[in-house]
Amino acid sequence: MRFKPLHSTSARHWLAGLLLAAGSSALLAQAPPAPGASPRIDAIQKAGELRVGVLQNSPWLVENTTGNGPAWSGPAWLLATEYARLLKVKLQPVAVSHETKVPVLAANQVDMTISPLGETPERLKVVDFVVYSSTSVCMFGRAGNEKLAKVNSVDDLNSPDITIAYFTGGAEENWVKERFPKAKLRAVASSGATAPVEEIMAKRADAAPINRVPWVNLNQKVKGLVVYPKDNNCQGSQEKASPVGLAVDKNQQVYLDWLRQVEKTLQATLTADEKRVIDNIK
């Protein structure tokens, strides 16, 4: 998937508009804790910079490699920008990888990892989260499929008359088996695509799972599809929902509480920016 980058002028106007739309609650976000209350905040202010681990993960954190406009955008960057503003320090991105984005926190190489992370029981053992979004699954099928004529919800797909395709070894495999015990299941080898759309179009299956974000792109490219849940183009789906947020090292309660309070004041703004990114997927 490609993303339409923001040029510098439009980016400034967009961000300014978002912050203004957030209303007085954003402007009145809690000031940082008093000196001495949080060793982490004291260290950030002394250094004059907020170090944030970055690795693209759309729609929450998007890297612009064109050289035109800001290098980073998305709700994760917007939130980090607000933290830096309130702390009156420079926002310093630090490149991380999938392997290092969590370990860099304990190693004190960053103050937070804003490369979006799914909150899992395993990760909660070593880091704390500031959750601002979620990831979830949609179910899609062919609009002209007569079997789907009376299907109005994901629950309706759990029927012996419905065949559901999924990628063997894919993230949705176990979920599909648990969610649709009455349906006929069709396991297929991964083709490198985001979902088994060929099974749907060839009429070998009636429905298949896809993450809510790539669904938007698929729906643009492949005409004649239907999605469940139907509302808001499935962007509010709670199927296989998992919290998404930024992470900080453990045992920093004052720091964590302040970060969460600021996020709360910006929630509507972050949601709007996430929608902007998704709407610009090409």
Side-chain angles (χ1 to χ4, degrees):
M1 294 183 290
R2 294 185 297 108
F3 307 90
K4 183 179 180 182
L6 290 174
H7 294 295
S8 56
T9 300
S10 61
R12 286 195 296 269
H13 288 167
W14 171 258
L15 293 177
L18 279 178
L19 292 173
L20 183 60
S24 59
S25 61
L27 297 176
L28 296 175
Q30 279 193 348
S38 167
R40 173 66 63 177
I41 289 179
D42 291 346
I44 292 170
Q45 293 181 319
K46 182 178 180 179
E49 62 179 20
L50 175 63
R51 303 166 301 165
V52 296
V54 293
L55 177 66
Q56 172 161 307
N57 187 349
S58 181
W60 304 287
L61 184 62
V62 180
E63 184 176 12
N64 174 17
T65 59
T66 67
N68 298 318
W72 296 94
S73 63
W77 186 256
L78 193 65
L79 182 55
T81 299
E82 180 67 357
Y83 289 142
R85 185 188 73 81
L86 291 170
L87 291 169
K88 299 180 180 179
V89 297
K90 175 184 176 182
L91 184 58
Q92 181 60 51
V94 177
V96 296
S97 67
H98 289 294
E99 294 74 22
T100 65
K101 58 188 178 183
V102 171
V104 291
L105 293 167
N108 194 30
Q109 295 174 350
V110 299
D111 301 302
M112 64 177 67
T113 288
I114 67 168
S115 178
L117 292 167
E119 184 183 87
T120 65
E122 293 75 18
R123 284 176 175 162
L124 281 171
K125 294 176 183 178
V126 294
V127 297
D128 284 318
F129 281 82
V130 178
V131 172
Y132 56 82
S133 185
S134 66
T135 183
S136 58
V137 169
C138 303
M139 296 297 295
F140 73 97
R142 189 172 52 84
N145 186 344
E146 293 183 0
K147 291 184 180 181
L148 301 181
K150 296 182 179 180
V151 172
N152 295 305
S153 68
V154 175
D155 288 337
D156 293 339
L157 294 172
N158 187 29
S159 166
D161 296 329
I162 299 294
T163 298
I164 296 177
Y166 64 90
F167 285 141
T168 302
E172 293 85 15
E173 179 175 3
N174 291 334
W175 175 79
V176 165
K177 294 176 180 178
E178 295 175 359
R179 184 68 173 86
F180 305 104
K182 297 179 181 180
K184 298 175 184 177
L185 304 183
R186 180 178 174 83
V188 297
S190 176
S191 62
T194 55
V197 63
E198 292 181 359
E199 299 297 309
I200 300 299
M201 303 312 292
K203 303 181 182 181
R204 292 188 291 265
D206 303 304
I210 186 172
N211 184 278
R212 71 174 178 87
V213 176
W215 156 252
V216 175
N217 181 251
L218 177 66
N219 193 37
Q220 292 172 350
K221 291 183 176 181
V222 180
K223 303 303 179 182
L225 297 177
V226 64
V227 70
Y228 309 96
K230 297 179 178 180
D231 294 342
N232 192 28
N233 199 22
C234 192
Q235 292 309 292
S237 172
Q238 293 301 305
E239 299 292 336
K240 199 179 181 294
S242 176
V244 171
L246 62 84
V248 299
D249 197 23
K250 285 292 225 182
N251 302 316
Q252 302 181 101
Q253 195 60 49
V254 174
Y255 179 48
L256 179 64
D257 289 344
W258 179 73
L259 295 176
R260 286 175 172 171
Q261 178 61 36
V262 174
E263 183 280 328
K264 185 177 180 180
T265 67
L266 287 180
Q267 182 58 65
T269 304
L270 303 178
T271 300
D273 199 36
E274 178 180 320
K275 183 179 185 301
R276 173 192 64 80
V277 176
I278 292 175
D279 288 346
N280 278 279
I281 293 176
K282 301 297 182 182

